[in-house]
Amino acid sequence: MERRSFLKFSAALSGASMVPSFVFAKDLNKSLVKTGKVKTAAHWGVLEVETKNGKIVSSKSALNVSPYPNPLQNYTKDLVENSRVKHVYVRKSYLANPDSPKPELRGTEEFVKVKYEDAIKLVAKELKKTRKAFGSQGVFAGSYGWKSSGNVHNSRILLHRFMNMSGGFVGSTGDYSTGASQIIMPHVVGSIEVYEQQSSWNDVLANSEVVVLWGANPYSTLKISWTSNEEEAQKYLESLKNSGKQIYMIDPYLNETGRYFGDKIKWIPIRPNTDVSMMLAMCYYLYTTNNYDKDFIENYTYGFDKFVPYLTGKVDGVVKDAKWASKICGVDAKIIESLAKTFKDHKTMLMSGWGMQRADHGEQPHWTLVTLASMIGQIGLPGGGFGLSYHYSGGGTPTAKGGIIGGINAGSIGNYDENGKFLGLAKSDFESKGTGQSWLQKATNYSFPLARIADALLNPGKVIDHNGEKITYPKIDFIYWVGGNPLVHHQDTNTMVKAFRKPRTIVVNESYWTPTAKMADIVFPATTQYERNDITMVGDYSNMYIAPMKQIVEKVADSKDDYQIFTDLCKAYADGLAEVYTDGGKDEFDFIKEYYDGARKQVLAISDLGVEMKEFNEWWESNEPVKFNSTMESDSWVRFADFREDPILNALGTPSGLIEIYSQDIEKMAYDDCKAHPTWFEPAEWLGMAKKPAKFHMMSVHPNDRLHSQLNQTSLRDKYAIANREPLLIRSDDAKEIGVKDGDLVRVFNERGEVLAGVKIYDNLAKNVIVLREGAWYDPLDPTKKSICKNGCANVLTIDKPTSKLANGNISHTALVNIEKYTQKAPKLTAFEAPKGV
Ligand code: PGD
């Protein structure tokens, strides 16, 4: 026995009872704490929630690590109580005749309360009907969204599990967050890069001399994580603030991070969507002053020689110098050049967010940034290079050594005979028995890039280009959505509304009357995560904790867990299906224990870990997260260090094994909107365009006081809403020009739509730039026609166009808008109210 384990063992024996705890495992205590303090976890952190007589009184961080407050942690009560879908509802015409359900009335017609069992039967029947008529590709269940934390009640995977086992569906590829970068980056650095661990924050703090926040707002976005937030990165951010390093923010908007850093950050305002021109000019300056790392370019990159003729204007007659860039991006030419020199001559970490790739030609900014970083030549060195995920889910927080829990999976393919009899799950994807293999083939062929959803619904059969392939849109006649809010998150809401009126059936599981739930035919009331038990990792990159997610309150009204809903759908769909769906009848605790025990097994196998994981029942009862520690290696880990050390042995996943400044693969695609090297393209709408359709560039950045649309219905909104609408940030001189002032209600509009917003004067914006944050619930004044959104949903104004044929990402940050004072009587806000009939 190793020394440390031996000591631990003897310590256990020397405890008061003299009996090691694992000898008598306690029964699992599943009871609810009606009055007391309970720990759970959400995207916004591990929480301690206080209850009294079964009701939530307060909630706050249970970790208390972050140096600044995270208000998202304090509204659990509202999340349980406000805007809830309490019963099962079916849209009136759908209920009357599901074969001819008048889809054009979706979102306008009243709902009818029905019995849960009847709705289950209805959905199973109509799903079967759709599959028979249109094949598995007639059913769309891509169902993108941020859902809730938890590895058991993972709504999207639970839906996919049901759809896989019951006979197939068509899904989507990519996401809204990094649609452009996750397609271009594999061509450039051989991995998607955006979701990769970053050089450790310790490394940055110890070794970087200059840190650049290029279109990133970590103060805000680090408040949330995909799993749950371990709050460590906020500490590092504070250390960076106080580090005395040169810190720059290149951004049209001095965001929350900029304000938090105060005079410790130098803000370089830039015109939205023009960063590529500035980066190219920096490359040009380094090239022409002969101050770039030739050795790095020579040994670690491919195709620089084919990029240079574009840079110098040999190809198109346009020299990409600072004067040229300055006219486009609005940053003084001298500043562009001096920044290039500073970055080259100092150890510089270029930290970029994802907002600038959510724009027209969004493939270009990160590709150009990597090219610039290659010329600087510090990639793979301590403190240098670039990072595309410091702002997200605690990127750069050193990875801990410990156990990793499993999670519910999307299951295998269900095989059915020609009469619809369930034959069991396919043993492999290639098994030819039954229907399984043929639908898998179809589903693979028809999957399309997520941000093309409205286009796909409106244009079945249309063929699009995507990353060197052709994709044919399927004819979608049935949509099932859980864990997302597409009527808020997708661009050009008015077109999306039209698209959502195309299929015959739309089913949604939701906890709240979101705009998406209001646009459904059948709405199942889903429990919130606070009404069920679950388990999660905390820290997406750090894997720092395993946290229990204890149920806090009873299930509200008729709410059911998604797991329950899909299990019941399985029962109604085919004999024997529920049995495999539930893996032989497992409940949430069976899964939680299985995932925990899996991690515990890993931990027990590591001899020198120094962390004990209790036996499951005891751990659950203790209601404390297990914490793992980082290692010496992860503390000082440097991204690309192995590549730098040996680019042949540790080649990148690109065709050349090197960083590709020129891509022959992309060259072969011959796209006019994405060339084989980083290129400046004019966006569809921008402030420098010849005939501007509107005066202001709208940035629909991620909210500081929400997670996308989540929490919009809570009283946290009272703290930021202006005139009871989403705030619109505008400079005082811009406001003066159009005759509006702080607190005014304004109409924001363009050819795509119009919204109401409340004016908040904010001077740290580039000229003619306004901010209207994404995520306000769409609330049309008259849902029967294209009408003004009363709450200020930014996507009513954005463009539904792909970034390019390469990635087909969304371009939500490319939009010009006009603004005028709203002089009519302010209409009543109904965003958070239940629809007609409820
Ligand atoms: P959320 O508000 O998180 O937004 O879009 P996304 O759809 O992810 O929606 C999650 C929904 O899931 C909520 O309605 C919530 O109630 C529901 N939900 C949560 N837990 C559960 C559950 O357990 N079961 C069920 N059934 N439902 C649940 C976000 C998307 O927006 C993203 S990721 C990005 S990056 C994009 N960003 C922008 C942007 O920058 N600018 C604009 N204009 N638009 C964007 N849209 C995109």
PDB file of all heavy atoms in Angstrom, residues 144-148 155 177 358 483-485 489 491 509-510 512 532 562 700 702 708-710 795 812-813, ligand 1:
ATOM      1  N   TYR A 144     -31.313  22.700 -31.121  1.00  0.00           N
ATOM      2  CA  TYR A 144     -30.150  23.360 -30.526  1.00  0.00           C
ATOM      3  C   TYR A 144     -30.553  24.236 -29.346  1.00  0.00           C
ATOM      4  O   TYR A 144     -31.614  24.841 -29.362  1.00  0.00           O
ATOM      5  CB  TYR A 144     -29.485  24.234 -31.593  1.00  0.00           C
ATOM      6  CG  TYR A 144     -28.355  25.062 -31.067  1.00  0.00           C
ATOM      7  CD1 TYR A 144     -27.108  24.485 -30.866  1.00  0.00           C
ATOM      8  CD2 TYR A 144     -28.525  26.401 -30.746  1.00  0.00           C
ATOM      9  CE1 TYR A 144     -26.059  25.224 -30.361  1.00  0.00           C
ATOM     10  CE2 TYR A 144     -27.467  27.153 -30.246  1.00  0.00           C
ATOM     11  CZ  TYR A 144     -26.240  26.558 -30.062  1.00  0.00           C
ATOM     12  OH  TYR A 144     -25.205  27.284 -29.565  1.00  0.00           O
ATOM     13  N   GLY A 145     -29.695  24.301 -28.351  1.00  0.00           N
ATOM     14  CA  GLY A 145     -29.945  25.233 -27.265  1.00  0.00           C
ATOM     15  C   GLY A 145     -29.082  24.984 -26.050  1.00  0.00           C
ATOM     16  O   GLY A 145     -28.460  23.925 -25.926  1.00  0.00           O
ATOM     17  N   TRP A 146     -29.079  25.957 -25.174  1.00  0.00           N
ATOM     18  CA  TRP A 146     -28.233  25.902 -23.980  1.00  0.00           C
ATOM     19  C   TRP A 146     -28.876  25.117 -22.844  1.00  0.00           C
ATOM     20  O   TRP A 146     -28.282  24.969 -21.793  1.00  0.00           O
ATOM     21  CB  TRP A 146     -27.867  27.322 -23.537  1.00  0.00           C
ATOM     22  CG  TRP A 146     -26.500  27.686 -24.012  1.00  0.00           C
ATOM     23  CD1 TRP A 146     -26.132  27.989 -25.286  1.00  0.00           C
ATOM     24  CD2 TRP A 146     -25.304  27.752 -23.217  1.00  0.00           C
ATOM     25  NE1 TRP A 146     -24.781  28.241 -25.328  1.00  0.00           N
ATOM     26  CE2 TRP A 146     -24.252  28.108 -24.076  1.00  0.00           C
ATOM     27  CE3 TRP A 146     -25.020  27.558 -21.871  1.00  0.00           C
ATOM     28  CZ2 TRP A 146     -22.933  28.267 -23.634  1.00  0.00           C
ATOM     29  CZ3 TRP A 146     -23.714  27.717 -21.425  1.00  0.00           C
ATOM     30  CH2 TRP A 146     -22.689  28.063 -22.302  1.00  0.00           C
ATOM     31  N   LYS A 147     -30.095  24.681 -22.991  1.00  0.00           N
ATOM     32  CA  LYS A 147     -30.774  23.804 -22.025  1.00  0.00           C
ATOM     33  C   LYS A 147     -30.382  24.139 -20.570  1.00  0.00           C
ATOM     34  O   LYS A 147     -30.139  25.285 -20.267  1.00  0.00           O
ATOM     35  CB  LYS A 147     -30.489  22.341 -22.372  1.00  0.00           C
ATOM     36  CG  LYS A 147     -29.000  22.047 -22.418  1.00  0.00           C
ATOM     37  CD  LYS A 147     -28.674  20.612 -22.717  1.00  0.00           C
ATOM     38  CE  LYS A 147     -27.198  20.366 -22.581  1.00  0.00           C
ATOM     39  NZ  LYS A 147     -26.678  20.513 -21.210  1.00  0.00           N
ATOM     40  N   SER A 148     -30.297  23.108 -19.703  1.00  0.00           N
ATOM     41  CA  SER A 148     -29.828  23.333 -18.322  1.00  0.00           C
ATOM     42  C   SER A 148     -28.639  22.436 -18.062  1.00  0.00           C
ATOM     43  O   SER A 148     -28.381  21.509 -18.819  1.00  0.00           O
ATOM     44  CB  SER A 148     -30.922  22.955 -17.329  1.00  0.00           C
ATOM     45  OG  SER A 148     -32.076  23.691 -17.562  1.00  0.00           O
ATOM     46  N   SER A 155     -31.763  17.572 -21.837  1.00  0.00           N
ATOM     47  CA  SER A 155     -32.981  17.477 -22.659  1.00  0.00           C
ATOM     48  C   SER A 155     -32.695  17.173 -24.123  1.00  0.00           C
ATOM     49  O   SER A 155     -33.392  16.368 -24.745  1.00  0.00           O
ATOM     50  CB  SER A 155     -33.812  18.752 -22.511  1.00  0.00           C
ATOM     51  OG  SER A 155     -33.041  19.893 -22.767  1.00  0.00           O
ATOM     52  N   SER A 177     -22.757  29.535 -31.671  1.00  0.00           N
ATOM     53  CA  SER A 177     -21.665  30.209 -30.980  1.00  0.00           C
ATOM     54  C   SER A 177     -20.482  30.418 -31.901  1.00  0.00           C
ATOM     55  O   SER A 177     -19.937  31.511 -31.989  1.00  0.00           O
ATOM     56  CB  SER A 177     -21.212  29.376 -29.787  1.00  0.00           C
ATOM     57  OG  SER A 177     -22.307  29.093 -28.974  1.00  0.00           O
ATOM     58  N   ARG A 358     -19.241  35.856 -35.724  1.00  0.00           N
ATOM     59  CA  ARG A 358     -20.688  35.780 -35.935  1.00  0.00           C
ATOM     60  C   ARG A 358     -21.098  36.961 -36.818  1.00  0.00           C
ATOM     61  O   ARG A 358     -21.916  37.790 -36.458  1.00  0.00           O
ATOM     62  CB  ARG A 358     -21.390  35.846 -34.575  1.00  0.00           C
ATOM     63  CG  ARG A 358     -22.289  34.655 -34.285  1.00  0.00           C
ATOM     64  CD  ARG A 358     -22.804  34.671 -32.869  1.00  0.00           C
ATOM     65  NE  ARG A 358     -21.894  34.012 -31.959  1.00  0.00           N
ATOM     66  CZ  ARG A 358     -21.541  34.481 -30.774  1.00  0.00           C
ATOM     67  NH1 ARG A 358     -22.021  35.628 -30.327  1.00  0.00           N
ATOM     68  NH2 ARG A 358     -20.698  33.807 -30.027  1.00  0.00           N
ATOM     69  N   GLY A 483     -35.038  22.430 -24.885  1.00  0.00           N
ATOM     70  CA  GLY A 483     -33.782  23.020 -24.398  1.00  0.00           C
ATOM     71  C   GLY A 483     -33.222  24.159 -25.218  1.00  0.00           C
ATOM     72  O   GLY A 483     -32.051  24.505 -25.073  1.00  0.00           O
ATOM     73  N   GLY A 484     -34.032  24.753 -26.082  1.00  0.00           N
ATOM     74  CA  GLY A 484     -33.546  25.893 -26.877  1.00  0.00           C
ATOM     75  C   GLY A 484     -34.679  26.857 -27.152  1.00  0.00           C
ATOM     76  O   GLY A 484     -35.860  26.533 -26.941  1.00  0.00           O
ATOM     77  N   ASN A 485     -34.336  28.019 -27.644  1.00  0.00           N
ATOM     78  CA  ASN A 485     -35.345  29.050 -27.878  1.00  0.00           C
ATOM     79  C   ASN A 485     -35.146  29.659 -29.269  1.00  0.00           C
ATOM     80  O   ASN A 485     -34.753  30.827 -29.392  1.00  0.00           O
ATOM     81  CB  ASN A 485     -35.216  30.109 -26.769  1.00  0.00           C
ATOM     82  CG  ASN A 485     -36.479  30.919 -26.584  1.00  0.00           C
ATOM     83  OD1 ASN A 485     -37.437  30.779 -27.358  1.00  0.00           O
ATOM     84  ND2 ASN A 485     -36.489  31.771 -25.590  1.00  0.00           N
ATOM     85  N   HIS A 489     -33.303  32.951 -30.693  1.00  0.00           N
ATOM     86  CA  HIS A 489     -31.871  32.892 -31.031  1.00  0.00           C
ATOM     87  C   HIS A 489     -31.571  32.976 -32.526  1.00  0.00           C
ATOM     88  O   HIS A 489     -30.450  33.270 -32.918  1.00  0.00           O
ATOM     89  CB  HIS A 489     -31.190  31.679 -30.383  1.00  0.00           C
ATOM     90  CG  HIS A 489     -31.450  30.327 -30.975  1.00  0.00           C
ATOM     91  ND1 HIS A 489     -31.591  29.200 -30.183  1.00  0.00           N
ATOM     92  CD2 HIS A 489     -31.549  29.875 -32.239  1.00  0.00           C
ATOM     93  CE1 HIS A 489     -31.763  28.134 -30.966  1.00  0.00           C
ATOM     94  NE2 HIS A 489     -31.740  28.518 -32.206  1.00  0.00           N
ATOM     95  N   GLN A 491     -31.673  34.351 -36.477  1.00  0.00           N
ATOM     96  CA  GLN A 491     -31.648  35.677 -37.102  1.00  0.00           C
ATOM     97  C   GLN A 491     -32.910  35.907 -37.946  1.00  0.00           C
ATOM     98  O   GLN A 491     -33.463  34.973 -38.510  1.00  0.00           O
ATOM     99  CB  GLN A 491     -30.388  35.801 -37.985  1.00  0.00           C
ATOM    100  CG  GLN A 491     -29.097  35.892 -37.178  1.00  0.00           C
ATOM    101  CD  GLN A 491     -28.880  34.735 -36.236  1.00  0.00           C
ATOM    102  OE1 GLN A 491     -28.819  33.608 -36.663  1.00  0.00           O
ATOM    103  NE2 GLN A 491     -28.781  35.022 -34.948  1.00  0.00           N
ATOM    104  N   ASN A 509     -41.019  20.837 -25.558  1.00  0.00           N
ATOM    105  CA  ASN A 509     -41.033  20.669 -24.088  1.00  0.00           C
ATOM    106  C   ASN A 509     -40.411  21.934 -23.516  1.00  0.00           C
ATOM    107  O   ASN A 509     -39.265  22.242 -23.841  1.00  0.00           O
ATOM    108  CB  ASN A 509     -40.151  19.507 -23.621  1.00  0.00           C
ATOM    109  CG  ASN A 509     -40.603  18.146 -24.122  1.00  0.00           C
ATOM    110  OD1 ASN A 509     -41.604  18.024 -24.797  1.00  0.00           O
ATOM    111  ND2 ASN A 509     -39.838  17.118 -23.759  1.00  0.00           N
ATOM    112  N   GLU A 510     -41.112  22.651 -22.710  1.00  0.00           N
ATOM    113  CA  GLU A 510     -40.577  23.900 -22.117  1.00  0.00           C
ATOM    114  C   GLU A 510     -41.092  24.081 -20.697  1.00  0.00           C
ATOM    115  O   GLU A 510     -42.185  23.642 -20.359  1.00  0.00           O
ATOM    116  CB  GLU A 510     -40.999  25.116 -22.942  1.00  0.00           C
ATOM    117  CG  GLU A 510     -39.885  25.875 -23.671  1.00  0.00           C
ATOM    118  CD  GLU A 510     -38.760  26.431 -22.817  1.00  0.00           C
ATOM    119  OE1 GLU A 510     -38.890  26.513 -21.585  1.00  0.00           O
ATOM    120  OE2 GLU A 510     -37.724  26.815 -23.388  1.00  0.00           O
ATOM    121  N   TYR A 512     -41.196  27.249 -19.610  1.00  0.00           N
ATOM    122  CA  TYR A 512     -41.733  28.621 -19.628  1.00  0.00           C
ATOM    123  C   TYR A 512     -42.471  28.899 -20.933  1.00  0.00           C
ATOM    124  O   TYR A 512     -42.196  28.270 -21.953  1.00  0.00           O
ATOM    125  CB  TYR A 512     -40.579  29.627 -19.492  1.00  0.00           C
ATOM    126  CG  TYR A 512     -39.640  29.304 -18.372  1.00  0.00           C
ATOM    127  CD1 TYR A 512     -38.376  28.763 -18.634  1.00  0.00           C
ATOM    128  CD2 TYR A 512     -40.015  29.502 -17.047  1.00  0.00           C
ATOM    129  CE1 TYR A 512     -37.504  28.442 -17.599  1.00  0.00           C
ATOM    130  CE2 TYR A 512     -39.156  29.181 -16.012  1.00  0.00           C
ATOM    131  CZ  TYR A 512     -37.905  28.650 -16.287  1.00  0.00           C
ATOM    132  OH  TYR A 512     -37.055  28.330 -15.266  1.00  0.00           O
ATOM    133  N   ARG A 532     -35.721  18.436  -9.995  1.00  0.00           N
ATOM    134  CA  ARG A 532     -35.281  17.052 -10.252  1.00  0.00           C
ATOM    135  C   ARG A 532     -33.853  16.894  -9.732  1.00  0.00           C
ATOM    136  O   ARG A 532     -33.180  17.886  -9.432  1.00  0.00           O
ATOM    137  CB  ARG A 532     -35.383  16.749 -11.740  1.00  0.00           C
ATOM    138  CG  ARG A 532     -34.582  17.709 -12.585  1.00  0.00           C
ATOM    139  CD  ARG A 532     -35.070  17.770 -14.030  1.00  0.00           C
ATOM    140  NE  ARG A 532     -34.135  18.572 -14.806  1.00  0.00           N
ATOM    141  CZ  ARG A 532     -34.417  19.209 -15.925  1.00  0.00           C
ATOM    142  NH1 ARG A 532     -35.629  19.136 -16.429  1.00  0.00           N
ATOM    143  NH2 ARG A 532     -33.510  19.901 -16.564  1.00  0.00           N
ATOM    144  N   ASP A 562     -38.153  15.801 -18.729  1.00  0.00           N
ATOM    145  CA  ASP A 562     -38.068  15.390 -20.139  1.00  0.00           C
ATOM    146  C   ASP A 562     -37.902  13.870 -20.223  1.00  0.00           C
ATOM    147  O   ASP A 562     -38.446  13.222 -21.113  1.00  0.00           O
ATOM    148  CB  ASP A 562     -36.868  16.074 -20.818  1.00  0.00           C
ATOM    149  CG  ASP A 562     -37.015  17.583 -20.883  1.00  0.00           C
ATOM    150  OD1 ASP A 562     -37.819  18.072 -21.686  1.00  0.00           O
ATOM    151  OD2 ASP A 562     -36.332  18.275 -20.103  1.00  0.00           O
ATOM    152  N   SER A 700     -25.431  42.958 -31.424  1.00  0.00           N
ATOM    153  CA  SER A 700     -26.358  42.197 -30.556  1.00  0.00           C
ATOM    154  C   SER A 700     -25.527  41.246 -29.708  1.00  0.00           C
ATOM    155  O   SER A 700     -25.573  40.035 -29.878  1.00  0.00           O
ATOM    156  CB  SER A 700     -27.389  41.455 -31.394  1.00  0.00           C
ATOM    157  OG  SER A 700     -26.758  40.673 -32.382  1.00  0.00           O
ATOM    158  N   HIS A 702     -23.715  39.340 -26.342  1.00  0.00           N
ATOM    159  CA  HIS A 702     -24.313  38.482 -25.316  1.00  0.00           C
ATOM    160  C   HIS A 702     -24.606  39.295 -24.056  1.00  0.00           C
ATOM    161  O   HIS A 702     -23.834  40.170 -23.677  1.00  0.00           O
ATOM    162  CB  HIS A 702     -23.384  37.307 -25.012  1.00  0.00           C
ATOM    163  CG  HIS A 702     -23.428  36.274 -26.095  1.00  0.00           C
ATOM    164  ND1 HIS A 702     -22.783  35.078 -26.024  1.00  0.00           N
ATOM    165  CD2 HIS A 702     -24.081  36.269 -27.283  1.00  0.00           C
ATOM    166  CE1 HIS A 702     -23.016  34.379 -27.128  1.00  0.00           C
ATOM    167  NE2 HIS A 702     -23.800  35.089 -27.904  1.00  0.00           N
ATOM    168  N   HIS A 708     -28.240  34.130 -22.664  1.00  0.00           N
ATOM    169  CA  HIS A 708     -29.068  34.212 -23.869  1.00  0.00           C
ATOM    170  C   HIS A 708     -30.475  34.685 -23.468  1.00  0.00           C
ATOM    171  O   HIS A 708     -30.592  35.770 -22.934  1.00  0.00           O
ATOM    172  CB  HIS A 708     -29.083  32.884 -24.622  1.00  0.00           C
ATOM    173  CG  HIS A 708     -27.709  32.472 -25.063  1.00  0.00           C
ATOM    174  ND1 HIS A 708     -26.934  33.260 -25.865  1.00  0.00           N
ATOM    175  CD2 HIS A 708     -26.957  31.380 -24.789  1.00  0.00           C
ATOM    176  CE1 HIS A 708     -25.775  32.670 -26.086  1.00  0.00           C
ATOM    177  NE2 HIS A 708     -25.759  31.534 -25.426  1.00  0.00           N
ATOM    178  N   SER A 709     -31.497  33.817 -23.664  1.00  0.00           N
ATOM    179  CA  SER A 709     -32.837  34.281 -23.277  1.00  0.00           C
ATOM    180  C   SER A 709     -33.185  33.835 -21.866  1.00  0.00           C
ATOM    181  O   SER A 709     -34.235  34.205 -21.328  1.00  0.00           O
ATOM    182  CB  SER A 709     -33.877  33.758 -24.269  1.00  0.00           C
ATOM    183  OG  SER A 709     -34.126  32.377 -24.069  1.00  0.00           O
ATOM    184  N   GLN A 710     -32.321  33.010 -21.274  1.00  0.00           N
ATOM    185  CA  GLN A 710     -32.633  32.486 -19.938  1.00  0.00           C
ATOM    186  C   GLN A 710     -32.504  33.596 -18.900  1.00  0.00           C
ATOM    187  O   GLN A 710     -31.555  34.353 -18.928  1.00  0.00           O
ATOM    188  CB  GLN A 710     -31.703  31.320 -19.591  1.00  0.00           C
ATOM    189  CG  GLN A 710     -31.890  30.133 -20.527  1.00  0.00           C
ATOM    190  CD  GLN A 710     -31.165  28.878 -20.069  1.00  0.00           C
ATOM    191  OE1 GLN A 710     -31.170  28.531 -18.901  1.00  0.00           O
ATOM    192  NE2 GLN A 710     -30.545  28.178 -21.007  1.00  0.00           N
ATOM    193  N   ASN A 795     -32.929  39.948 -32.690  1.00  0.00           N
ATOM    194  CA  ASN A 795     -32.918  39.169 -33.933  1.00  0.00           C
ATOM    195  C   ASN A 795     -34.030  39.530 -34.912  1.00  0.00           C
ATOM    196  O   ASN A 795     -33.993  39.114 -36.066  1.00  0.00           O
ATOM    197  CB  ASN A 795     -32.911  37.671 -33.632  1.00  0.00           C
ATOM    198  CG  ASN A 795     -31.485  37.185 -33.391  1.00  0.00           C
ATOM    199  OD1 ASN A 795     -30.547  37.624 -34.066  1.00  0.00           O
ATOM    200  ND2 ASN A 795     -31.303  36.298 -32.424  1.00  0.00           N
ATOM    201  N   SER A 812     -25.170  37.250 -37.114  1.00  0.00           N
ATOM    202  CA  SER A 812     -26.011  38.110 -36.272  1.00  0.00           C
ATOM    203  C   SER A 812     -25.391  39.473 -35.951  1.00  0.00           C
ATOM    204  O   SER A 812     -26.111  40.397 -35.586  1.00  0.00           O
ATOM    205  CB  SER A 812     -26.348  37.378 -34.976  1.00  0.00           C
ATOM    206  OG  SER A 812     -25.185  36.850 -34.399  1.00  0.00           O
ATOM    207  N   HIS A 813     -24.079  39.605 -36.091  1.00  0.00           N
ATOM    208  CA  HIS A 813     -23.465  40.893 -35.742  1.00  0.00           C
ATOM    209  C   HIS A 813     -23.267  41.803 -36.954  1.00  0.00           C
ATOM    210  O   HIS A 813     -22.551  42.794 -36.874  1.00  0.00           O
ATOM    211  CB  HIS A 813     -22.163  40.668 -34.983  1.00  0.00           C
ATOM    212  CG  HIS A 813     -22.405  40.075 -33.626  1.00  0.00           C
ATOM    213  ND1 HIS A 813     -21.656  40.368 -32.527  1.00  0.00           N
ATOM    214  CD2 HIS A 813     -23.353  39.221 -33.188  1.00  0.00           C
ATOM    215  CE1 HIS A 813     -22.126  39.713 -31.482  1.00  0.00           C
ATOM    216  NE2 HIS A 813     -23.151  38.998 -31.863  1.00  0.00           N
TER     217      HIS A 813
HETATM  218  P1  PGD B   1     -31.348  29.909 -24.354  1.00  0.00           P
HETATM  219  O1  PGD B   1     -31.945  31.192 -23.925  1.00  0.00           O
HETATM  220  O2  PGD B   1     -30.248  29.355 -23.521  1.00  0.00           O
HETATM  221  O3  PGD B   1     -30.864  30.189 -25.828  1.00  0.00           O
HETATM  222  O4  PGD B   1     -29.712  30.231 -28.008  1.00  0.00           O
HETATM  223  P2  PGD B   1     -30.397  29.205 -26.987  1.00  0.00           P
HETATM  224  O5  PGD B   1     -31.609  28.648 -27.665  1.00  0.00           O
HETATM  225  O6  PGD B   1     -29.397  28.269 -26.467  1.00  0.00           O
HETATM  226  O7  PGD B   1     -32.514  28.832 -24.516  1.00  0.00           O
HETATM  227  C1  PGD B   1     -32.566  27.665 -23.793  1.00  0.00           C
HETATM  228  C2  PGD B   1     -34.012  27.274 -23.590  1.00  0.00           C
HETATM  229  O8  PGD B   1     -34.029  25.955 -23.063  1.00  0.00           O
HETATM  230  C3  PGD B   1     -34.747  28.128 -22.595  1.00  0.00           C
HETATM  231  O9  PGD B   1     -35.981  28.541 -23.120  1.00  0.00           O
HETATM  232  C4  PGD B   1     -34.962  27.210 -21.380  1.00  0.00           C
HETATM  233  O10 PGD B   1     -36.139  27.448 -20.662  1.00  0.00           O
HETATM  234  C5  PGD B   1     -34.990  25.861 -22.022  1.00  0.00           C
HETATM  235  N1  PGD B   1     -34.575  24.793 -21.120  1.00  0.00           N
HETATM  236  C6  PGD B   1     -33.604  24.859 -20.189  1.00  0.00           C
HETATM  237  N2  PGD B   1     -33.499  23.683 -19.551  1.00  0.00           N
HETATM  238  C7  PGD B   1     -34.397  22.850 -20.089  1.00  0.00           C
HETATM  239  C8  PGD B   1     -34.733  21.499 -19.827  1.00  0.00           C
HETATM  240  O11 PGD B   1     -34.172  20.822 -18.993  1.00  0.00           O
HETATM  241  N3  PGD B   1     -35.729  20.941 -20.585  1.00  0.00           N
HETATM  242  C9  PGD B   1     -36.365  21.650 -21.551  1.00  0.00           C
HETATM  243  N4  PGD B   1     -37.302  21.028 -22.240  1.00  0.00           N
HETATM  244  N5  PGD B   1     -36.071  22.948 -21.804  1.00  0.00           N
HETATM  245  C10 PGD B   1     -35.087  23.534 -21.085  1.00  0.00           C
HETATM  246  C11 PGD B   1     -28.464  30.727 -27.783  1.00  0.00           C
HETATM  247  C12 PGD B   1     -27.783  31.059 -29.117  1.00  0.00           C
HETATM  248  O12 PGD B   1     -28.208  32.347 -29.553  1.00  0.00           O
HETATM  249  C13 PGD B   1     -26.312  31.041 -29.024  1.00  0.00           C
HETATM  250  S1  PGD B   1     -25.550  29.752 -28.195  1.00  0.00           S
HETATM  251  C14 PGD B   1     -25.542  31.984 -29.623  1.00  0.00           C
HETATM  252  S2  PGD B   1     -23.850  31.994 -29.424  1.00  0.00           S
HETATM  253  C15 PGD B   1     -26.081  32.976 -30.550  1.00  0.00           C
HETATM  254  N6  PGD B   1     -25.706  34.297 -30.178  1.00  0.00           N
HETATM  255  C16 PGD B   1     -26.325  35.354 -30.727  1.00  0.00           C
HETATM  256  C17 PGD B   1     -25.747  36.673 -30.800  1.00  0.00           C
HETATM  257  O13 PGD B   1     -24.611  36.920 -30.387  1.00  0.00           O
HETATM  258  N7  PGD B   1     -26.493  37.642 -31.357  1.00  0.00           N
HETATM  259  C18 PGD B   1     -27.713  37.407 -31.865  1.00  0.00           C
HETATM  260  N8  PGD B   1     -28.387  38.407 -32.442  1.00  0.00           N
HETATM  261  N9  PGD B   1     -28.248  36.185 -31.808  1.00  0.00           N
HETATM  262  C19 PGD B   1     -27.626  35.164 -31.261  1.00  0.00           C
HETATM  263  N10 PGD B   1     -28.235  33.946 -31.224  1.00  0.00           N
HETATM  264  C20 PGD B   1     -27.578  32.758 -30.750  1.00  0.00           C
END
